[in-house]
Every structure is written in structure tokens, then in C-alpha cells.
Amino acid sequence: MALRHALLAALLDRELSGYQLSKLFDLGASSFWHASSQQLYAELGKLEADGLLTGHEVVQQGRPNKRVFALTDAGRDELTRFTGAPTKPTSIRDDLMVKAYAEQAADPDTLIKQLEDRAAQSRAKAEFLAAQLEKLRGDKPEADFLASADNVGPYLAGTRGKMYHDDQAEWCEWAAAILRHRTTS
Amino acid sequence: MALRHALLAALLDRELSGYQLSKLFDLGASSFWHASSQQLYAELGKLEADGLLTGHEVVQQGRPNKRVFALTDAGRDELTRFTGAPTKPTSIRDDLMVKAYAEQAADPDTLIKQLEDRAAQSRAKAEFLAAQLEKLRGDKPEADFLASADNVGPYLAGTRGKMYHDDQAEWCEWAAAILRHRTTS
DNA sequence: TATGATTAGTCAAGAAATTGAGTAGTGGGA
DNA sequence: TCCCACTACTCAATTTCTTGACTAATCATA
């Protein structure tokens, strides 16, 4: 029920092809939602059937043709409805937290490695998102951009994504340090 | 594939009934994983069938009988394997981030209300988790507890949960303030 | 004395997400 | 010149998760 709205949101101020959307929703790059390409194309089909967006074939030379999707008025209305409707908080479901919880059953060294690897991944992703944010706000200071820009949504969402990954990296390193300390003493 | 391990982790140092587990994995109270009771009971059945845990009927007076589950050696081994195996990072999928991203299509006032409501929920949950952490560490300072306690896993996971909700609340309030400022100017 | 909350679950239907493989053309590097 | 990566998708099977309803007893409250 929510990938629908994530797709509509991504198409709010531009047209994108299925493939471009699949890059935007990629696990390693998405700032606000993730989905596999298979899931995306399936959902795009449903959204088109429901009249929330329209697809146009674009003929290309030198590479496969693509279908570019755009929001319809109905799609925009649906997004407006969605943003105003209460939804229940998204639940936490993180495999790393399960691993940390199960620390007693874990081999300390491999668990520490898991945490350090994830810390590195999150650091990289936080940096990537920081670069995206910088690009979005251009040369303005953040406060000016947020006060005056005409589309701040992606910036708000990107900021949350960056916070998440900064925290994740920090926590992973903190937890790894504690476990390391416990094994050496 | 991961609810399995979350359940095994929860049963690592104690026996719990399905109902107790359903409270632990409740959306409003879970610090490290969430699942509905239906999903839980289904998964508990599979885990028992796979020999990763055993259930014992406990007869009670004055209330329905219950089944209490305990880890088997195979279950503990599976947890050890899981904690050492690399897993891909959990993806971000948060309805609020989608709503923020779609700010352009949103009615400002209702979106602001959504953000403020969620901020309040996250504040409450962060407080709840803070109380749990305090209970876990007893009267010791955190550093002493983490260095000397025999089961720090739940504390590590709970800390991440608290960070998540502290951040969520902070971001929601920040985003709401920006949107409010943009509507009044 | 009826009403709702709490304990302790079960059943079934459907939607959402994952896993794994496959197609087919183009461009670039060893 | 061969192989790999990239663009741009599709198909099928399976697992996971959600939604909504239902049973049935006890306890506290109004």
C-alpha cells in the first residue's frame, strides 16, 4: 500500500522511466523508500491501470526503448489524500538489532565484524546522502533554501535518511567497541 | 527469514509464552522487531516443527492454559550462525518520509499535524525505552553495566531503538517547524 | 449486573516483498 | 575479439506480512 505512494511522490515534479525509478529505489541509494525492480514494474503497471499515472513509450537510438511515467491529476489527488491521512508508525525491523540482541549466542569476533562492516556501509551512505543534499540546496545556506525553495520535500526526507545512517554508523561502532572491550578483559 | 531469528533471540535467556512474545513484539513496545500475534504463532509453529524450539503446555487456574517456548540446542546453533552470517542492510521504508517527500502535493496543515503526532508518539516510545534501559542496568552506571553484565544484547538493541525514536521525534519537529514557517511567510 | 479489558490464542484471505532466472542490444576495456 | 557492465525490462514461484474476524474464560469497573 505504500510503495504506490512512494512512486507517486517520486514522480511529483518530473517524469521518470521505470529504470530510473529502479535506481532511485535501489537499496544502496534510496533516501526514502526501497524496492526491487520487479516490484517496481509490477506496481507501475497497477498504478497505470488505476489511472494514477500515465506511461509514454520513448524511442531511443543505441539503447532499448523506455517507458516514461508521469503523474495524472488523479495521482496527485491520491498523494494529497495520503499525506493527510493518519498512518501507523513504521515498525523497526533491523537484522542488526536482532544480532545485537542475540549477543549471548554470537561469536564475539564475527559479530564485531558484522557491526564494523555495517558501520562502514552506513558511513558511505550518509556521505552519499550528504552530497545529494548539498546538490539540492545549491549554493544557499540550508536555512535560506528551506525557507525559499519551491520543493523542499526531497530535502526533508533526505535529511532524515542521513540522520538514520549517521546514527546507525555511530551505534555500530559503539556496540563493536563494547563487545571488543568485553572480549579482551 | 528474520522473524525466526528475532524469536530465537527473545528466547535466548528465558522461556516465554506466545502471548508474552506477542507483547514483546508489539508495535508500540518492541525495541528490536515487530510482528503481529498471528504471524508470531504461525512462526512459532514452524520453529517448533523445525526443532529450533520446544513448547510445553502450562496449565493455569483462573485463566486459559498457555504454551511456553524454549530454545533447543539446534535453535541456539542457528542463532549463532545467523549472528555471524552477513546480511544486507535493512532498507528504509517509512511512510512519514514518503509524506515529507511529497510535501508539494500535501495540504500544509494536515502534513504538519501528521508530523507533530508522530513526534509525540516517538517521544513517548523513546521514554518507554529509556525506562526499560534504566531497569536493565539497575543501579550501575552504564559503562560498568556494559563492561560487567552477563547479557548486554537487549541493552545494545534497546539503545539503538531509543536513538531511532529520539531522532524521529527531533526530525518530525524540525520538519514541522519548517513547513509552518513556510506557510506563514 | 452488564461492559469492557486482559489473557491466550486460531483461521483465512489477500497484499506486499523476496528470490532467482532470463532477454536483448550497446559500449568499453584487456 | 571476447567478456563484462550497463540500459531496460519481464516472468514465475515462494515467502512474509497484513487485515479482519472469532472463541472463550476471568477480572475489574461502573
Side-chain angles (χ1 to χ4, degrees), chain A residues 46-86:
Chain A
K46 285 186 212 164
L47 283 163
E48 198 180 5
D50 293 349
L52 302 184
L53 45 79
T54 45
H56 327 273
E57 186 94 13
V58 173
V59 179
Q60 300 185 115
Q61 66 271 56
R63 56 185 58 187
N65 294 347
K66 62 182 175 183
R67 298 201 70 211
V68 166
F69 295 92
L71 263 195
T72 62
D73 288 344
R76 185 171 252 268
D77 289 351
E78 172 55 20
L79 248 192
T80 302
R81 194 202 56 71
F82 170 72
T83 51

Side-chain angles (χ1 to χ4, degrees), chain A residues 19-49:
Chain A
Y19 187 71
Q20 283 178 299
L21 285 164
S22 80
K23 295 289 140 189
L24 192 65
F25 287 79
D26 180 77
L27 183 55
S30 66
S31 73
F32 75 115
W33 199 269
H34 160 256
S36 66
S37 59
Q38 296 94 314
Q39 212 194 330
L40 272 175
Y41 287 111
E43 197 63 44
L44 285 170
K46 285 186 212 164
L47 283 163
E48 198 180 5

